[in-house]
Amino acid sequence: MREVSNSQAILEVKNLESAFMIEGEEYNAVDGVSFQVQPGKVVGVVGESGCGKSVMSLSIMGLLPKGIGKVAGGEIIFDGKHLEQLPDQKMNKIRGKEISMIFQEPMTSLNPVFTIGYQLEEVLHNHFKISKEEATKKIIQLLDAVGISRPNKIIKDYPHQLSGGMRQRVMIAMAIACQPKLLIADEPTTALDVTVQAQILELLQDIQRKNDMSIIFITHDLGVVAESCHEVIVMYAGRIVEKASVERLFKGPKHPYTKLLMGAIPRLDETVDELETIEGIVPTLTKMPSVGCRFANRCPQAMKECVEVTPQLKEEESNHEVACLLYEASRPEEEVSR
Amino acid sequence: MRNAAKPLLEVNNLQMHFPVRGGFFRRKIGEVKAVDGVTLSINKGETLGLVGESGCGKSTTGRSILRLLQPTAGQVLLEGEDITSVKGKKLWDIRKDMQMVFQDPYASLNPMQMVGNIVGEPIRNYYPKKKSEEIKQEVADLLKRVGLPEEAYYKYAHEFSGGQRQRIGIARALALKPKLIIADEPVSALDVSVQSQVLNLLNELQDEFQLTYLFIAHDLSVVKHMSNRIGVMYLGQIVEIADKGSIYENPLHPYTQALISAVPDASKVGEKRDRIVLEGDVPSPENPPTGCPFHTRCPKAIDKCSTIKPPLKEVKPGQQVACVLYDESLLKS
């Protein structure tokens, strides 16, 4: 893949730490995550539930629950602006216009007491000076673009009158209404049936290409990642354990966690007697080990050093980074002492 | 496995129509045809998978077989015995042979009871004369077998993770040594790493206790991994039923073809796939289309499809399809 210099990245996350207050103490749900999103690229984020995928995306959007969660460290640079320092008012201008988000559950993320048309209009009125007629015209165009037939009728409907797939299309229409540069899609197809999922994935790809938009695609489905992303980030317990282009990751996963994750999924094209399993579960936030690899207690290849040394994300091959001691032949001294 | 003389479970033309009431005096104003003529059989020791999208009637089929719902028509035979309308003591006896594992491990366990009591309850119900010591030992063995720690006996369901709760549900289903287990989406609420643990456990238990499974799920790769044969459902009907190899390698019904091509595939990185993307949504079972239920979305539909409702017919040995395209007599008519 092309080497693109840092300045061109649409989003750059550096050493992000997102902390939650639990019984008076701060715990990092996202702990030192760094990555970039290049313009027009789709970056997939995978991992089990509780590994910090959603907290990371809420941090970028500035939507962590006030008083409980906050960005405790690191930088989020979007289009040259430091998002973590922006006051709410300015963030409101960016949110929905330049970065927007689609959520997993299309029912709970639409307001049940307003019509589809009203909710879409609200987005446009918030960000543009636009007359009512113009707004209606734009909305019908948008609904048309996301493949909704009879948009004239749909704008008068309420969310409960639509099926799950239709609601997700409305959510996408809302998210792309202002032609954002970055779309964060948090499990956008998890609640949908496979045939509808195929429709929505196709639609997202179309829009992404047409608008040259970047997407952060959060999912736990590796099949979805393989088909719709350019780059993949594998997260475990708040940290990135592996980062690679989609081809490299699927042809040669390196981190033991990624390998197990891939072996744990039954595949349509091959038959195995027994699936790989990962013993245990993701440690909870309050019980996260402070030193060492966080996957060590579940890792079949764990060594003695794994609980003593925190592995750093390092480039193993071009476009393929992994945070695992197995790949650190020569460990610098200062890391051992950490 | 397959050549056992008699199938354990036979289902003939099962129908489950729910009345829709409304208007004055809550009269019956319509029907939801959740299950509309399902015929299948499962041999001893076999796993039959049922796949389909939400609302296609897979769960209702499972529940009607167990008689948790009273089917409106059709026949359910367990070991050759008609159980469609048995009542009272007889039904109670038969239920011992059929158990269910539910989808939601959070809602299907009583939060007020200790895990030991949840798993032991079926034994106490069916064998009231059994000594409590004996029951306790049986439960402890069951918990150990499904991979739970010894102290789980005295804990409550909320103290466990989703995967562990599903193990408790499995232990409860095993308590009466049933012949048939209906597993309704047993892993869809679980994370992938935990999902594989539960799937492996179900497979081990099947060998150990000679269990027969009806495995209901919407995830085609999970169903393929678990099943010997697979039935594909659409709008209350089975549109294709065959052994898993044929379903995957040579699907015949246009719906099965679309379903398989819609599954995102991790092995196809960077390849352009010819995916069949279906238009629209599944029609409402309250007002299903005439003729073939799939014709409104079918890319291969012909004029006849809207009038003729094709029956399930054997097209190849072991592969039954309900589609006009494979039925010469219907094509000519």
Side-chain angles (χ1 to χ4, degrees):
Chain A
M1 242 174 247
R2 281 167 284 137
E3 275 300 313
V4 191
S5 73
N6 295 359
S7 57
Q8 276 178 297
I10 185 83
L11 178 79
E12 192 174 358
V13 175
K14 278 190 201 161
N15 220 3
L16 177 70
E17 287 177 29
S18 305
F20 280 90
M21 287 292 269
I22 300 170
E23 289 168 355
E25 279 198 61
E26 273 186 14
Y27 294 95
N28 278 0
V30 172
D31 195 25
V33 163
S34 307
F35 67 95
Q36 294 178 355
V37 182
Q38 306 297 344
K41 291 280 180 226
V42 183
V43 176
V45 181
V46 282
E48 289 174 274
S49 38
C51 68
K53 310 186 294 279
S54 294
V55 174
M56 184 189 78
S57 61
L58 292 177
S59 309
I60 296 170
M61 289 292 276
L63 288 174
L64 288 174
K66 287 235 157 59
I68 308 165
K70 63 168 187 200
V71 174
E75 295 167 82
I76 305 166
I77 306 158
F78 171 76
D79 214 10
K81 292 178 280 273
H82 275 263
L83 295 190
E84 81 281 2
Q85 296 164 353
L86 278 190
D88 271 358
Q89 261 184 336
K90 288 214 170 127
M91 195 63 208
N92 278 343
K93 290 256 185 306
I94 292 176
R95 211 186 282 138
K97 190 173 179 211
E98 291 179 50
I99 311 179
S100 56
M101 191 159 179
I102 351 177
F103 300 90
Q104 174 172 359
E105 224 317 309
M107 190 64 219
T108 48
S109 33
L110 287 170
N111 193 330
V113 300
F114 293 112
T115 61
I116 299 296
Y118 180 89
Q119 297 188 51
L120 278 163
E121 219 178 285
E122 200 184 356
V123 184
L124 294 173
H125 281 309
N126 276 347
H127 295 288
F128 302 109
K129 276 208 158 66
I130 189 169
S131 74
K132 199 163 165 50
E133 289 74 43
E134 275 176 304
T136 312
K137 222 173 109 194
K138 182 98 200 281
I139 289 166
I140 289 175
Q141 272 173 10
L142 278 169
L143 290 175
D144 210 38
V146 295
I148 286 180
S149 51
R150 295 175 298 129
N152 294 322
K153 188 189 163 293
I154 297 291
I155 54 172
K156 296 188 195 99
D157 279 354
Y158 289 88
H160 75 267
Q161 291 169 286
L162 308 181
S163 68
M166 293 268 268
R167 279 185 222 137
Q168 202 58 295
R169 283 172 196 269
V170 171
M171 281 301 295
I172 293 171
M174 202 179 278
I176 61 163
C178 304
Q179 303 220 335
K181 291 175 189 146
L182 176 67
L183 177 72
I184 301 178
D186 190 353
E187 306 260 9
T189 58
T190 310
L192 306 176
D193 277 315
V194 271
T195 58
V196 182
Q197 167 172 295
Q199 296 170 357
I200 297 292
L201 290 179
E202 196 121 306
L203 172 67
L204 276 175
Q205 270 173 16
D206 263 7
I207 294 171
Q208 186 263 329
R209 265 186 237 122
K210 245 182 242 159
N211 296 2
D212 201 27
M213 181 173 67
S214 305
I215 303 184
I216 298 179
F217 202 116
I218 297 169
T219 177
H220 65 272
D221 189 333
L222 286 168
V224 171
V225 169
E227 292 198 356
S228 44
C229 300
H230 300 114
E231 276 158 66
V232 194
I233 291 169
V234 183
M235 282 187 77
Y236 184 79
R239 289 188 184 147
I240 294 179
V241 294
E242 190 161 358
K243 188 158 76 175
S245 69
V246 73
E247 292 89 5
R248 283 194 183 275
L249 190 84
F250 281 92
K251 295 226 166 87
K254 291 189 185 294
H255 199 282
Y257 178 64
T258 319
K259 286 184 193 164
L260 286 170
L261 213 52
M262 286 186 182
I265 309 165
R267 297 242 301 245
L268 269 185
D269 58 334
E270 52 190 50
T271 309
V272 289
D273 286 340
E274 208 175 326
L275 298 169
E276 299 261 18
T277 59
I278 312 178
E279 294 305 320
I281 50 167
V282 185
T284 54
L285 213 46
T286 48
K287 291 191 179 131
M288 213 66 91
S290 53
V291 195
C293 172
R294 291 182 168 177
F295 187 57
N297 64 336
R298 299 174 75 190
C299 181
Q301 287 167 277
M303 308 172 289
K304 183 164 101 268
E305 301 92 309
C306 288
V307 291
E308 294 156 4
V309 184
T310 310
Q312 305 295 314
L313 203 59
K314 283 215 181 107
E315 190 153 71
E316 254 296 297
E317 293 165 31
S318 72
N319 261 316
H320 199 153
E321 293 173 48
V322 60
C324 178
L325 293 187
L326 291 172
Y327 298 93
E328 285 188 26
S330 54
R331 246 169 284 127
E333 275 308 305
E334 80 275 349
E335 263 174 46
V336 180
S337 61
R338 266 172 71 121
Chain B
M1 252 193 280
R2 290 274 301 279
N3 49 18
K6 253 191 187 160
L8 180 81
L9 179 81
E10 273 177 281
V11 175
N12 294 323
N13 201 20
L14 186 76
Q15 287 184 2
M16 184 68 231
H17 294 179
F18 295 100
V20 179
R21 292 181 192 281
F24 203 43
F25 289 130
R26 298 191 51 73
R27 272 173 304 129
K28 187 171 152 186
I29 53 168
E31 263 183 339
V32 173
K33 294 176 178 166
V35 177
D36 201 19
V38 162
T39 300
L40 53 87
S41 73
I42 315 178
N43 292 324
K44 233 185 155 95
E46 187 187 42
T47 302
L48 177 75
L50 266 190
V51 274
E53 295 175 273
S54 43
C56 72
K58 342 181 262 297
S59 295
T60 310
T61 305
R63 281 164 193 259
S64 314
I65 291 171
L66 277 181
R67 292 283 312 280
L68 292 174
L69 293 168
Q70 179 59 47
T72 41
Q75 229 186 0
V76 180
L77 304 170
L78 186 72
E79 293 186 305
E81 189 184 352
D82 190 345
I83 60 161
T84 329
S85 46
V86 290
K87 288 194 182 75
K89 176 78 172 67
K90 198 83 209 302
L91 179 62
W92 162 266
D93 279 345
I94 283 165
R95 284 240 171 96
K96 196 174 68 175
D97 292 333
M98 311 186 288
Q99 291 289 318
M100 188 149 183
V101 177
F102 296 92
Q103 170 172 13
D104 187 345
Y106 294 84
S108 57
L109 300 174
N110 187 339
M112 310 287 281
Q113 282 196 352
M114 284 193 310
V115 166
N117 287 338
I118 294 176
V119 177
E121 190 173 350
I123 310 179
R124 273 195 302 282
N125 275 344
Y126 276 90
Y127 305 100
K129 286 184 187 136
K130 226 174 208 179
K131 287 200 191 79
S132 64
E133 287 307 301
E134 221 175 310
I135 295 177
K136 206 172 162 184
Q137 187 54 46
E138 266 182 53
V139 172
D141 289 345
L142 278 169
L143 290 176
K144 194 175 161 210
R145 181 61 201 86
V146 298
L148 288 168
E150 217 170 298
E151 58 284 7
Y153 192 102
Y154 298 103
K155 286 189 173 175
Y156 290 87
H158 71 87
E159 295 174 75
F160 294 93
S161 66
Q164 286 175 313
R165 283 178 209 223
Q166 205 53 296
R167 288 172 195 265
I168 298 170
I170 293 170
R172 174 176 62 185
L174 283 177
L176 292 171
K177 306 197 168 49
K179 292 169 184 150
L180 174 71
I181 287 188
I182 297 185
D184 188 1
E185 301 266 14
V187 295
S188 59
L190 306 176
D191 254 325
V192 276
S193 69
V194 182
Q195 166 180 307
S196 63
Q197 293 171 11
V198 172
L199 293 179
N200 285 347
L201 175 68
L202 283 171
N203 271 337
E204 287 163 28
L205 294 172
Q206 177 165 41
D207 292 345
E208 202 172 314
F209 298 100
Q210 283 91 50
L211 295 170
T212 306
Y213 288 144
L214 176 63
F215 191 92
I216 300 168
H218 68 280
D219 186 328
L220 214 62
S221 13
V222 169
V223 169
K224 186 197 163 225
H225 177 73
M226 293 299 289
S227 316
N228 303 102
R229 285 186 305 136
I230 298 175
V232 181
M233 279 189 81
Y234 188 80
L235 268 189
Q237 289 167 33
I238 290 187
V239 295
E240 181 162 2
I241 188 163
D243 60 276
K244 66 171 167 186
S246 314
I247 286 277
Y248 174 64
E249 274 145 32
N250 187 22
L252 294 177
H253 197 283
Y255 179 62
T256 318
Q257 291 168 352
L259 203 59
I260 283 173
S261 90
V263 179
D265 192 343
S267 66
K268 300 262 164 62
V269 181
E271 289 171 39
K272 191 78 198 122
R273 294 177 62 197
D274 291 325
R275 171 175 287 158
I276 310 165
V277 177
L278 293 177
E279 301 281 313
D281 290 306
V282 185
S284 153
E286 201 179 322
N287 185 19
T290 55
C292 170
F294 186 56
H295 86 263
T296 51
R297 300 172 79 198
C298 182
K300 295 182 183 169
I302 51 175
D303 291 346
K304 284 199 175 90
C305 295
S306 57
T307 49
I308 302 171
K309 188 170 178 174
L312 208 56
K313 233 182 154 182
E314 188 151 54
V315 173
K316 283 182 185 169
Q319 188 161 13
Q320 292 172 292
V321 185
C323 180
V324 173
L325 296 175
Y326 299 97
D327 200 326
E328 300 217 339
S329 59
L330 289 180
L331 268 180
K332 279 179 201 141
S333 69

